[in-house]
Amino acid sequence: MYSYHKENVKHILAEVNRYLQLLYGTAWSVKEIVNGYQRYEPGLHSNYIFDVLLKSNLNSSTVMERVELFQPFSELNINHGSVQTLNSETVYFLLPVTYTVLDRLIAFLAYYEEQFLQREGNVYLLVIVMDSDAKQVKDIKELLQKLWKKYPSSYVRTVEMEGVFSRAKALDKAAKQLHEGSLLFFCDVDVRVAFEFLTRCRHNAKRGVQVFYPVVFSQYNPVIIKSFSPPNKIRTYWDISKYTGMWLHYGFGMVCLFNQDYQEVGGFRLDRAGWGGEDVELYERHVKSHLRVFRAMDPSLIHTYHDKNCSFSLASDQYEMCVATLADTYGSRSQLAKKILLAEQTEFFKKQKSIH
């Protein structure tokens, strides 16, 4: 962070602290800044939002306060503060799968168990299985039933669908089985979701007011990370850095919103088969609606790398999206340049050796 950014943030946090002291007095003090967001409105102002956890100086009580500030290219003004209850509202994970991703589903469920079931995160997992093979459907259902038996107080359900895989149809069918007040999270089998995401989902999706489209961090190919990153720059493949992956600013597949706000804009286009495009269309509908779209990078969502093929059977726009994503998420430009140069040098030395 540049020094002038640091000074600005320091000034803003001082204003937040001053505001909270006026509001709560000396009986409370700041324990932690849980989340912080900055949004720039061209020609108008910068908007800052902080979720601040306060602790009582008299007992063990805590309270979450959301403070929103506007900086209209002059002095800083606090717009309002609002108490955020440390709610445990159920978050419904909607996860479309087929048997072809069984290995990745097993990995997803292992991390889901660690993050949410062992920590009692009050989540509901709804897995939509699109497969016409009865045995394959049975295998997936048994996998989920095993998880439910291990955690009998948890909520794990399957919805069966037949036909050609369509993410749009799968999510739409699941959403229509839940009441309009349900807080939904449209998920992906390749995304590792950390426990901290629940708080951001609950705070940033506001029924009838705001939908939350987090920006996911997408992991590069681990072989490329290991072979073409500077020495001592990588601790684990799960680090978030320019060497391990990239933020998918053009991806809108992960969304946290109330069912009412999904249904209100007409939901997904259901004539879309396969992968890609349905998320962009839903996002555009929300942008054009009266609802506010809240978008921010979220380090608790990491798309794990996996080998991928783009089927020629996809519609032309879907195929182009698939190939572009495949190219972007294979490795950074610097890493891929090193790979190409290494291949060229290897080929050159082979030719030189054959000549002599």
Side-chain angles (χ1 to χ4, degrees):
M1 188 184 285
Y2 294 114
S3 58
Y4 61 86
H5 282 318
K6 286 182 180 176
E7 285 303 312
N8 192 40
V9 170
K10 209 165 149 188
H11 169 60
I12 291 163
L13 290 175
E15 286 295 313
V16 170
N17 198 45
R18 185 181 64 81
Y19 169 77
L20 291 173
Q21 282 183 345
L22 288 172
L23 195 65
Y24 284 90
T26 57
W28 295 79
S29 56
V30 174
K31 181 180 181 183
E32 183 185 356
I33 305 291
V34 180
N35 300 306
Y37 304 98
Q38 178 185 9
R39 181 169 52 195
Y40 173 66
E41 297 283 354
L44 296 174
H45 54 249
S46 287
N47 178 203
Y48 301 90
I49 300 171
F50 293 96
D51 292 329
V52 185
L53 187 64
L54 298 163
K55 63 177 181 180
S56 170
N57 296 326
L58 305 175
N59 52 47
S60 60
S61 303
T62 57
V63 64
M64 184 83 80
E65 177 86 23
R66 171 161 284 198
V67 182
E68 190 168 353
L69 308 94
F70 291 91
Q71 190 169 35
F73 306 122
S74 59
E75 64 183 42
L76 189 69
N77 295 316
I78 293 181
N79 181 43
H80 65 273
S82 59
V83 174
Q84 304 289 304
T85 56
L86 297 174
N87 69 63
S88 57
E89 183 169 9
T90 304
V91 177
Y92 291 81
F93 280 60
L94 274 54
L95 181 69
V97 298
T98 65
Y99 190 79
T100 56
V101 298
L102 183 63
D103 289 346
R104 281 139 60 189
L105 175 60
I106 291 170
F108 176 92
L109 293 176
Y111 195 69
Y112 179 88
E113 176 186 354
E114 175 192 318
Q115 291 293 306
F116 304 112
L117 301 186
Q118 291 178 6
R119 298 171 71 174
E120 299 182 354
N122 192 17
V123 290
Y124 190 122
L125 180 61
L126 194 56
V127 179
I128 310 98
V129 185
M130 292 198 75
D131 211 306
S132 54
D133 187 307
K135 184 185 181 306
Q136 292 178 348
V137 172
K138 185 184 175 188
D139 288 346
I140 293 175
K141 288 177 75 174
E142 285 178 352
L143 186 66
L144 294 165
Q145 198 168 38
K146 185 179 175 184
L147 184 66
W148 176 76
K149 283 181 178 177
K150 190 173 178 182
Y151 299 92
S153 62
S154 67
Y155 297 93
V156 180
R157 267 185 59 202
T158 55
V159 175
E160 296 177 41
M161 291 184 71
E162 292 187 359
V164 178
F165 178 76
S166 165
R167 184 174 186 268
K169 286 181 181 177
L171 291 171
D172 186 76
K173 180 168 183 177
K176 284 176 178 171
Q177 295 190 13
L178 300 169
H179 61 84
E180 65 175 19
S182 302
L183 180 55
L184 312 180
F185 175 48
F186 295 159
C187 196
D188 186 283
V189 73
D190 297 310
V191 174
R192 278 171 57 118
V193 186
F195 186 82
E196 294 73 25
F197 177 71
L198 294 182
T199 300
R200 290 191 273 272
C201 178
R202 289 167 179 147
H203 284 180
N204 294 327
K206 300 175 182 178
R207 185 176 178 181
V209 176
Q210 180 171 283
V211 293
F212 179 38
Y213 279 84
V215 180
V216 177
F217 186 79
S218 186
Q219 189 184 57
Y220 290 147
N221 185 332
V223 175
I224 298 294
I225 296 172
K226 182 179 180 181
S227 304
F228 301 102
S229 298
N232 306 319
K233 288 288 184 181
I234 309 298
R235 290 179 305 146
T236 76
Y237 295 137
W238 301 109
D239 287 348
I240 292 181
S241 78
K242 63 181 179 180
Y243 304 111
T244 56
M246 62 174 285
W247 292 103
L248 283 179
H249 290 285
Y250 54 77
F252 303 93
M254 305 304 104
V255 55
C256 187
L257 77 174
F258 282 90
N259 202 0
Q260 169 189 319
D261 300 326
Y262 167 72
Q263 306 293 349
E264 190 174 306
V265 295
F268 288 114
R269 253 183 62 187
L270 299 183
D271 57 349
R272 280 260 182 197
W275 175 96
E278 78 289 331
D279 55 340
V280 178
E281 289 164 357
L282 183 67
Y283 173 76
E284 288 175 345
R285 289 186 193 186
H286 279 127
V287 168
K288 292 173 183 175
S289 74
H290 70 90
L291 296 165
R292 185 169 58 188
V293 174
F294 190 95
R295 188 150 169 81
M297 294 181 288
D298 199 311
S300 60
L301 299 177
I302 298 180
H303 186 279
T304 57
Y305 180 85
H306 61 90
D307 291 329
K308 187 176 185 179
N309 293 310
C310 298
S311 172
F312 289 115
S313 64
L314 291 170
S316 59
D317 61 332
Q318 289 177 306
Y319 181 78
E320 286 174 13
M321 279 187 211
C322 181
V323 170
T325 303
L326 192 60
D328 275 348
T329 56
Y330 190 66
S332 70
R333 285 174 175 80
S334 172
Q335 289 166 332
L336 297 181
K338 288 177 184 177
K339 181 177 170 65
I340 292 168
L341 286 171
L342 179 62
E344 288 180 349
Q345 286 179 335
T346 304
E347 187 63 28
F348 173 77
F349 287 126
K350 276 184 184 176
K351 285 179 181 178
Q352 290 294 309
K353 195 172 181 180
S354 64
I355 292 171
H356 298 293

